[in-house]
Amino acid sequence: MISTDEKNDLCEAFASIKHRSRLTSRSANALFLLLRISREFKIVVKHWMLFLVWISCVSAYKEQRFAIEPQDQSAVVGSRVTLPCRVENKAGQLQWTKDDFGLGTHRHLTGYERYKMIGSDEEGDYSLDIREVTIDDDASYQCQVSSGPRGEPAIRSRYARLLVLVPPEPPKIIKGPVIQAVEDREVNVECVSIGGKPPAEITWVDNDGGVLTQGVNYTVEAMKDGRRFTAK
């Protein structure tokens, strides 16, 4: 606040300027006071404007969040599967990752002919659609959104495991349909099923349909691709 004496000094200073007379020490002090008040007023106005801009940005800021996240799924080779991802208040760029490798930010994922982000931007739907599933699609997937232009923090969905199932080949008895044996002597009969994921479960039954459990030795071996198995 300006005191009465300071106001009088200001008036005297203005009067001196108006009549182009020599400034007194008192009027000079009043001018300095006026300049100081003016400068401080500008600073206050500047800070107030910055505050209003900040309030405007905060009021317009909405945090990115997932409305729907992908979940673990299983799919049979040759089938079709969709991993859901829906985002509210999306501000950054969205991409899917496969075992932490980015697939791209466009809906038509270049280099992945069987992959596509379906849905619409208006609904915030960026679900990953995989056609004609193969064994190579067996992986962990994640939906990611980068930070936005106003500083919205980046977000990542939970990891979703896609387990690809491969039907095993029909079981085969190695020694053929007819096996000759000698009474009171052991004979080994081997049944093999190749390429299952998970490995095939093999059960022996007799003519009457009874399940044989005695003397059965079940083993599983991984194939060269490290994904499928041979059951014996």
Side-chain angles (χ1 to χ4, degrees):
M1 299 294 293
I2 302 175
S3 65
T4 302
D5 292 338
E6 289 176 331
K7 289 181 180 179
N8 293 334
D9 292 342
L10 289 174
C11 292
E12 181 181 340
F14 283 131
S16 299
I17 295 174
K18 183 177 180 180
H19 294 91
R20 300 180 183 276
S21 60
R22 184 172 58 85
L23 294 177
T24 65
S25 175
R26 187 177 180 183
S27 62
N29 290 336
L31 278 177
F32 288 135
L33 176 63
L34 177 63
L35 293 174
R36 178 172 61 82
I37 293 174
S38 176
R39 183 170 61 253
E40 292 178 353
F41 178 74
K42 289 180 179 180
I43 294 174
V44 171
V45 171
K46 179 180 179 181
H47 288 175
W48 178 250
M49 293 299 294
L50 291 175
F51 176 74
L52 291 178
V53 171
W54 180 79
I55 289 294
S56 176
C57 292
V58 170
S59 62
Y61 172 87
K62 292 184 179 180
E63 185 176 356
Q64 304 181 115
R65 61 179 296 270
F66 288 107
I68 300 177
E69 295 187 50
Q71 303 292 324
D72 294 346
Q73 293 192 46
S74 60
V76 178
V77 165
S79 65
R80 182 174 182 174
V81 66
T82 299
L83 300 174
C85 179
R86 181 168 292 191
V87 181
E88 294 181 353
N89 307 319
K90 176 181 171 295
Q93 286 190 322
L94 184 145
Q95 74 164 352
W96 279 90
T97 62
K98 175 183 177 182
D99 287 338
D100 293 324
F101 181 81
L103 301 178
T105 57
H106 299 287
R107 287 191 175 272
H108 295 279
L109 302 174
T110 304
Y112 300 90
E113 291 77 11
R114 297 181 296 105
Y115 291 14
K116 181 181 179 181
M117 282 193 281
I118 61 174
S120 65
D121 294 354
E122 291 76 14
E123 296 179 346
D125 191 352
Y126 296 85
S127 300
L128 180 64
D129 184 70
I130 304 176
R131 297 178 291 103
E132 300 175 6
V133 171
T134 71
I135 191 69
D136 291 332
D137 299 325
D138 190 291
S140 292
Y141 296 83
Q142 187 182 56
C143 186
Q144 302 178 353
V145 186
S146 66
S147 57
R150 295 181 177 176
E152 297 89 343
I155 55 175
R156 295 186 177 193
S157 73
R158 66 180 299 276
Y159 281 103
R161 178 69 184 181
L162 177 59
L163 179 64
V164 178
L165 307 177
V166 182
E169 295 180 7
K172 296 180 180 179
I173 297 179
I174 300 303
K175 293 184 179 181
V178 178
I179 299 175
Q180 295 182 351
V182 179
E183 186 177 4
D184 295 330
R185 291 188 181 181
E186 290 186 356
V187 61
N188 290 326
V189 183
E190 186 176 38
C191 178
V192 177
S193 179
I194 302 174
K197 182 179 180 298
E201 296 182 1
I202 298 177
T203 302
W204 286 95
V205 296
D206 58 21
N207 288 337
D208 298 326
V211 177
L212 304 178
T213 58
Q214 297 296 324
V216 176
N217 182 26
Y218 175 75
T219 61
V220 173
E221 298 176 358
M223 299 182 67
K224 291 182 178 180
D225 59 14
R227 298 173 179 267
R228 297 174 298 158
F229 302 89
T230 297
K232 298 181 180 181

